[in-house]
């Protein structure tokens, strides 16, 4: 009974196979059928070379050696599908045991694609003419290269000309988020829905770094700028008294940025540049320069106050001496007056 069932399945599988290759018609199809029935080898110019002595097994599997052509009688690879319009291979899970799912893998004049037929989407495409190494996964490490076949990092992007970049985009008003995490915690880089850019450590209250669309920067901690002697050159002494006098002449005012509402106080960059000649240009102020000028002016003021204090002390001492002399003269005059009476 099992042998009879096996033979029936083999015959049915053979019929399904031949029907599946209906495009091979005419004399070639007839020759192929005759050679299958006589179990003779098919010449290499035809679609397959039979494996002897077993062609179909009990489960309907077909074994062959050589190349298989679909739509061509001169296959160039183990499986060669040819069509004048979008040659495609369909992979279908029919739903008899698990949920149905169907994918089409194919190509056309615009490139290579994978269609999710079940969901009516195209989740993967490669344009025709894409350069070698457009996407490469290294063996062993699993590093992924974009534009390189020698990735030097888990993700390595190489562009021969122009600037390599990564773009994260949403089509609605939601924010865009990039997350990094390790055993010490998680950081988020957020392009907020209002357009600002934030750094946030997950689990800590508030954003540690906020950069607004108007150029305002807010941080929760202190700002430390490089100021070591080891990274500086061209040192020159300053005249703190001169700087003090320039600060006294520097125009100061309160004002508001055109893109903001908060009030501020300080000089204009143009005036600061004109008076002190510091900074990268006449449109910007460096906090370090403002602090440096303020410290120099304080030193100049301290020198002035010290000198004034010294002068006042000297005058106080002279006044004290004169008062002592006056007291002595008054006492002498009193004694003379008393003696005359």
């Amino acid at each position: 009974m099992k042998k009879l069932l096996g033979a029936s399945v083999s015959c049915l599988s053979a019929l399904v196979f031949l029907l599946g290759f209906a495009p091979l018609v005419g004399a070639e199809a007839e020759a192929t059928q005759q050679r299958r029935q006589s179990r003779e080898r098919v010449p290499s110019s035809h679609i397959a070379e039979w494996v002897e002595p077993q062609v179909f097994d009990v489960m309907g599997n077909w074994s062959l050696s050589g190349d298989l052509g679909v739509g061509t009688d001169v296959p160039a690879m183990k499986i060669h599908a040819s069509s004048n319009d979008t040659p495609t291979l369909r992979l279908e899970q029919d739903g008899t045991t698990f949920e149905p799912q169907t994918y089409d893998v194919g190509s056309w004049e615009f490139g290579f694609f994978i269609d999710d037929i079940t969901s009516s989407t195209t989740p993967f495409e490669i344009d025709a003419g894409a350069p070698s190494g457009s996407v490469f996964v290294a063996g062993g490490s699993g590093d992924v290269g974009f534009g390189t076949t020698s990735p030097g990092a888990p993700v390595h992007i190489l562009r021969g000309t122009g600037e390599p970049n990564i773009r994260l985009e949403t089509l609605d008003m939601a924010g865009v988020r990039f997350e990094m995490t390790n055993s010490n915690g998680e950081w988020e880089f957020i392009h907020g829905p209002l357009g600002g850019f934030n750094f946030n450590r997950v689990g800590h209250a508030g954003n540690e770094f906020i950069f607004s669309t108007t150029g305002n920067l807010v941080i929760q901690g202190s700002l430390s700028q490089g100021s070591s002697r080891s990274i500086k050159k061209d040192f020159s002494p300053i005249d703190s008294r001169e700087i003090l006098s320039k600060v006294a002449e520097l125009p100061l005012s309160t004002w508001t940025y055109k893109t903001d509402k908060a009030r501020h106080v300080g000089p204009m960059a143009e005036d600061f540049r004109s008076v002190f000649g510091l900074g990268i240009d006449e449109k910007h102020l460096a906090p370090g320069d403002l602090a440096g000028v303020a410290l120099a002016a304080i030193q100049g003021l301290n020198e002035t106050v010290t000198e004034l204090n010294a002068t006042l002390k000297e005058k106080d001492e002279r006044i004290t001496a004169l008062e002592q002399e006056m007291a002595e003269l008054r006492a002498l005059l009193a004694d003379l007056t008393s003696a005359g009476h």
Side-chain angles (χ1 to χ4, degrees), residues 81-108:
S82 178
S83 171
N84 65 352
D85 184 6
T86 317
T88 304
L89 171 66
R90 173 156 291 190
L91 305 176
E92 180 178 8
Q93 183 168 282
D94 60 15
T96 55
T97 303
F98 301 101
E99 290 293 324
Q101 180 66 47
T102 302
Y103 285 98
D104 282 354
V105 181
S107 66
W108 59 338

Side-chain angles (χ1 to χ4, degrees), residues 202-263:
V202 177
H204 289 228
N207 292 314
E208 280 70 19
F209 178 105
I210 302 174
F211 191 68
S212 74
T213 55
T214 58
N216 292 331
L217 175 62
V218 179
I219 60 175
Q220 285 199 4
S222 61
L223 175 64
S224 298
Q225 298 174 287
S227 192
S228 170
R229 183 178 288 103
S230 63
I231 61 174
K232 300 177 181 179
K233 64 178 183 178
D234 301 335
F235 297 94
S236 299
I238 63 170
D239 186 338
S240 58
R241 298 284 188 89
E242 181 183 2
I243 292 179
L244 176 61
S245 64
K246 289 182 177 181
V247 168
E249 298 173 0
L250 183 65
L252 298 175
S253 60
T254 61
W255 41 267
T256 302
Y257 282 112
K258 293 180 179 180
T259 56
D260 202 358
K261 296 181 179 180
R263 296 292 293 173

Side-chain angles (χ1 to χ4, degrees), residues 4 18 23 30 34 38 74 85 87 96 123 150 201 217 226-227 335 339:
L4 180 59
L18 290 174
E30 182 179 354
Q34 291 175 354
S38 64
V74 285
D85 184 6
T96 55
S150 302
R201 186 172 185 185
L217 175 62
S227 192
D335 290 342

Side-chain angles (χ1 to χ4, degrees), residues 241 301-314:
R241 298 284 188 89
L301 181 59
N302 181 68
E303 292 175 4
T304 301
V305 171
T306 299
E307 289 184 1
L308 289 174
N309 286 337
T311 301
L312 289 174
K313 182 180 179 181
E314 181 182 352

Side-chain angles (χ1 to χ4, degrees), residues 269-270 273 280-285:
E270 294 85 350
R273 175 80 169 187
I280 58 174
D281 56 36
E282 70 282 355
K283 298 296 183 181
H284 301 85
L285 290 176

Side-chain angles (χ1 to χ4, degrees), residues 86 88 102-108 110-117 119-128 130-131 133-137 144-146:
T86 317
T88 304
T102 302
Y103 285 98
D104 282 354
V105 181
S107 66
W108 59 338
F110 300 109
F112 171 82
F113 62 86
I114 298 178
D115 280 347
D116 183 342
I117 302 302
S119 301
S120 299
T121 60
T122 302
F124 184 86
E125 290 185 82
I126 298 178
D127 277 353
S134 294
V135 181
F136 177 83
V137 180
V144 180
F146 295 90

